[in-house]
Amino acid sequence: MSSGSDEVTSSAPAHSVTIFLGGDVMTGRGIDQILPRPSHPRIYESFVQDARDYVGLAERANGPIPSRVAFSYVWGDAIEELHRVGPAARIVNVETSVTRSDDYWVGKGINYRMHPSNVPTLTSARIDVAVLANNHVLDYGPAGLQETLDTLKRAGVRTAGAGRDLAEAQRPAIVELSEQARMIVLAFGLESSGIPPSWAARWERPGISFLGGLSQLAASTIIERVKQIKRQNDLVVVSFHWGDNWGYEVPAEHVRFAHWLIDGGVDILHGHSSHHPRPVEVYRNRLILYGCGDLLNDYEGIAGFEEFRNDLAVMYFVSVSPTGELLGLRMMPMQIRKFRLNRVSATDAQWLR
């Protein structure tokens, strides 16, 4: 991991490919309110009924935040880093519904929504794949999910992990990396991350690609799909929204399941759900990110769990060989401040390390 002033100590070999992986991008609620076309601020939480209150909390913590900002504002210094590295593909977990729908999911407690007119927030960072198998994509019901899918498709952002039916939810996102190589992204969500089981897609019902558990049978099913799709020189990324929000412990079942998938032909495991980064493992020369943490959120000024420093985020730049072997990992720390990604101090970089 390096701070913003550090030099990269080694460059990736010419025959490698570098991709960017990010954790949860939560551009709804408070962040949506500072963007050019905010949704109606009414929300339905126990203690907060106006999304603009989250802007106020952040301003009390860190000072004034501009309104009607440029779409690229939230990415801040991350834009420069993405431009400098120039990854061949960019993947994040988009954890919000992108919709005008007011049909919020009653009783869920927290509902995230970004106005579809604000989707250039994602395209300004040239996001290639939006993982949607998470616990907020259906916050505004099936209609909200369908508008999310339509909006992202029109914007040229590929999606994985959710769909209008089971077939679409299970369909991989595919990015052409070169004439000979593709990146294939499969995404799944688990109840342990807060996803209601009723959100599971069915043959004639919209929803997410829901995984009922981490059994060997479930792993074998995913591996069989990988074998059906994967061609020579393809890079396979499997993305999971799993686990609870806090803590550094990685459940043994997560480790076991990740190893089964790597043994079966998966090249990178992209885990997320926790609000802060969790450990990284290299297994059989393949990368496992057990929890990437939040990349963007509106949590500034909210008290609780300060010891985990969820204001600190990580950008993961992964270099792999044509056969999927890990050649390098650069972890770039950022700080979420005023709803924007900023380069961190040397002290914060060392703390995160």
Side-chain angles (χ1 to χ4, degrees):
M1 181 182 294
S2 61
S3 69
S5 59
D6 288 348
E7 294 295 324
V8 179
T9 55
S10 62
S11 58
H15 62 279
S16 70
V17 62
T18 298
I19 65 171
F20 163 66
L21 292 162
D24 300 343
V25 171
M26 308 179 76
T27 50
R29 207 170 61 176
I31 289 178
D32 180 61
Q33 292 302 304
I34 69 166
L35 293 174
R37 182 71 184 274
S39 306
H40 191 284
R42 177 78 167 104
I43 54 177
Y44 304 91
E45 300 176 11
S46 299
F47 299 102
V48 180
Q49 283 76 51
D50 191 315
R52 293 170 294 190
D53 289 349
Y54 285 99
V55 182
L57 284 170
E59 290 184 323
R60 283 195 285 275
N62 292 316
I65 299 174
S67 62
R68 306 303 180 263
V69 297
F71 291 117
S72 61
Y73 167 85
V74 296
W75 298 101
D77 294 330
I79 290 286
E80 180 183 346
E81 193 64 21
L82 287 164
H83 178 73
R84 191 177 70 80
V85 176
R90 309 174 187 203
I91 310 170
V92 297
N93 175 55
V94 175
E95 197 160 350
T96 185
S97 184
V98 185
T99 182
R100 299 173 183 84
S101 173
D102 293 321
D103 188 18
Y104 73 100
W105 199 279
V106 177
K108 186 170 179 291
I110 297 177
N111 306 86
Y112 267 80
R113 174 176 60 173
M114 178 175 76
H115 196 283
S117 296
N118 291 330
V119 76
T121 303
L122 299 176
T123 57
S124 67
R126 293 170 51 195
I127 300 302
D128 293 294
V129 178
V131 170
L132 299 180
N134 58 59
N135 59 313
H136 285 294
V137 75
L138 270 158
D139 277 357
Y140 283 81
L145 171 59
Q146 293 188 56
E147 188 172 10
T148 300
L149 294 166
D150 291 339
T151 302
L152 292 173
K153 183 177 181 179
R154 284 195 300 269
V157 180
R158 301 164 183 83
T159 59
R164 296 165 186 81
D165 54 30
L166 183 60
E168 184 177 10
Q170 292 183 341
R171 189 177 303 149
I174 299 177
V175 179
E176 301 289 339
L177 300 176
S178 69
E179 292 183 2
Q180 294 81 28
R182 306 179 301 169
M183 180 182 70
I184 296 169
V185 182
L186 293 164
F188 304 88
L190 283 89
E191 187 176 6
S192 60
S193 69
I195 299 172
S198 60
W199 285 15
R202 295 287 183 260
W203 289 115
E204 296 182 355
R205 187 181 76 185
I208 71 163
S209 181
F210 185 79
L211 206 60
L214 298 176
S215 66
Q216 191 160 17
L217 176 60
S220 298
T221 301
I222 295 172
I223 290 167
E224 185 58 35
R225 289 179 59 197
V226 169
K227 289 179 178 177
Q228 292 172 0
I229 300 166
K230 190 175 184 179
R231 304 192 307 226
Q232 186 176 6
N233 294 331
D234 280 353
L235 174 69
V236 176
V237 179
V238 176
S239 190
F240 285 106
H241 204 61
W242 60 0
D244 54 14
N245 291 334
W246 307 105
Y248 295 110
E249 189 71 23
V250 177
E253 63 175 351
H254 287 199
V255 177
R256 182 172 60 247
F257 199 78
H259 288 187
W260 283 337
L261 294 186
I262 299 296
D263 290 339
V266 172
D267 298 303
I268 297 174
L269 195 141
H270 173 224
H272 37 83
S273 176
S274 60
H275 292 315
H276 59 87
R278 279 188 162 138
V280 171
E281 180 184 10
V282 178
Y283 172 71
R284 296 187 62 179
N285 290 327
R286 299 302 195 272
L287 179 65
I288 302 172
L289 302 172
Y290 284 106
C292 292
D294 289 348
L295 188 58
L296 285 166
N297 63 36
D298 65 348
Y299 292 169
E300 293 172 64
I302 301 175
F305 301 100
E306 286 86 353
E307 67 270 25
F308 293 107
R309 292 295 307 273
N310 77 316
D311 61 312
L312 298 181
V314 176
M315 303 174 71
Y316 298 86
F317 295 99
V318 186
S319 297
V320 296
S321 73
T323 57
E325 293 186 332
L326 180 66
L327 298 175
L329 169 64
R330 187 163 188 264
M331 302 165 68
M332 186 69 192
M334 291 279 167
Q335 183 181 38
I336 305 169
R337 188 178 178 87
K338 298 185 178 182
F339 292 171
R340 179 183 186 275
L341 288 170
N342 303 275
R343 296 192 183 279
V344 300
S345 67
T347 299
D348 283 341
Q350 184 58 38
W351 186 93
L352 195 54
R353 186 196 302 270

